[in-house]
């Protein structure tokens, strides 16, 4: 699953408007126009060439969007007195792990909520497996999240947050 697919599916699952996507990128530290966002949201088949103007979403762009989503949903974080800005991680997280971690934060989900979302999406995961996915990439028990988990997580979010999919 590409980063563009993640962006498309997350936008659909949470019913986010294009103008809000622009704002989330801005809050994450990247500036894009609505037309550029529409070029990121174009669907591309694996065996076809990308359409004209297509913009491929990099891990840094996805991370900026997810950070902006957190700020958009929860508000800006107020620095604590005497605390400096957090240091940038040297090891980058896998895009699917980053998705689950940051959406969990943005929507104020507990680990049980994430497990329920995965279950709604059609996959059963133990707390231990989820813990391994949510760990720091440098931790010895870290596990990269596969596309299947990410797809099912997004499917579960869609079922929980979209009115048109509720029965």
């Amino acid at each position: 699953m590409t980063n563009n697919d993640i962006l498309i599916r997350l936008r659909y699952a949470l019913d986010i408007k294009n103008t809000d996507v622009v704002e989330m990128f801005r809050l994450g530290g990247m500036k894009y126009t609505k037309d550029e966002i529409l070029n990121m949201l174009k669907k591309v088949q694996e065996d076809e060439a990308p359409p004209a103007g297509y913009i491929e979403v990099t891990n840094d762009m996805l991370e900026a969007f997810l950070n902006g989503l957190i700020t958009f949903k929860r508000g800006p974080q107020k620095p604590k007195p005497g605390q400096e800005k957090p240091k940038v991680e040297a090891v980058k997280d896998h895009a699917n792990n980053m998705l689950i971690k940051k959406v969990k934060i943005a929507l104020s989900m507990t680990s049980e909520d994430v497990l329920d979302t995965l279950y709604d999406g059609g996959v059963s995961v133990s707390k231990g497996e989820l813990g391994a996915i949510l760990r720091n990439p440098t931790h010895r028990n870290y596990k990269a999240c596969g596309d299947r988990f990410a797809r099912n997580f997004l499917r579960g979010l869609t079922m929980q947050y979209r009115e048109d999919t509720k029965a």
Side-chain angles (χ1 to χ4, degrees):
M1 193 161 64
T2 67
N3 291 341
N4 291 68
D5 290 335
I6 291 172
L7 185 62
I8 291 166
R9 290 171 189 238
L10 184 59
R11 182 187 157 279
Y12 176 79
L14 299 179
D15 201 15
I16 302 171
K17 298 177 182 144
N18 292 337
T19 54
D20 291 339
V21 173
V22 171
E23 178 65 12
M24 289 174 196
F25 269 111
R26 188 191 66 74
L27 290 170
M30 293 187 166
K31 294 184 192 256
Y32 293 104
T33 65
K34 190 174 177 184
D35 290 332
E36 289 172 322
I37 297 301
L38 291 173
N39 285 330
M40 289 178 204
L41 298 174
K42 289 181 180 177
K43 292 197 179 200
V44 178
Q45 299 299 327
E46 287 183 26
D47 55 342
E48 295 178 8
Y54 177 77
I55 298 174
E56 187 173 339
V57 177
T58 64
N59 283 351
D60 290 337
M61 292 165 68
L62 182 63
E63 184 173 21
F65 172 76
L66 293 170
N67 288 337
L69 175 67
I70 292 170
T71 304
F72 188 83
K73 293 285 189 181
R74 297 184 65 155
Q77 187 176 13
K78 295 177 182 163
K80 295 177 182 161
Q83 183 182 16
E84 56 187 70
K85 286 187 174 185
K87 296 177 182 173
V88 179
E89 295 179 15
V91 177
K92 287 292 188 178
D93 217 351
H94 189 268
N96 294 338
N97 293 63
M98 182 175 31
L99 166 73
I100 293 175
K101 286 178 190 178
K102 293 193 183 251
V103 170
K104 178 182 183 277
I105 293 167
L107 301 179
S108 302
M109 299 172 86
T110 63
S111 292
E112 287 78 22
D113 294 334
V114 175
L115 291 171
D116 290 343
T117 301
L118 285 164
Y119 183 78
D120 289 346
V123 69
S124 185
V125 181
S126 71
K127 269 190 170 182
E129 287 177 293
L130 180 62
I133 289 169
L134 297 175
R135 292 188 190 280
N136 187 316
T138 59
H139 193 279
R140 67 185 175 95
N141 291 333
Y142 171 81
K143 178 182 176 191
C145 177
D147 286 346
R148 179 175 154 252
F149 278 26
R151 255 195 298 302
N152 286 317
F153 179 72
L154 291 169
R155 184 180 302 130
L157 281 178
T158 302
M159 294 175 78
Q160 291 175 354
Y161 284 91
R162 299 264 320 182
E163 291 296 322
D164 54 3
T165 61
K166 293 182 181 175

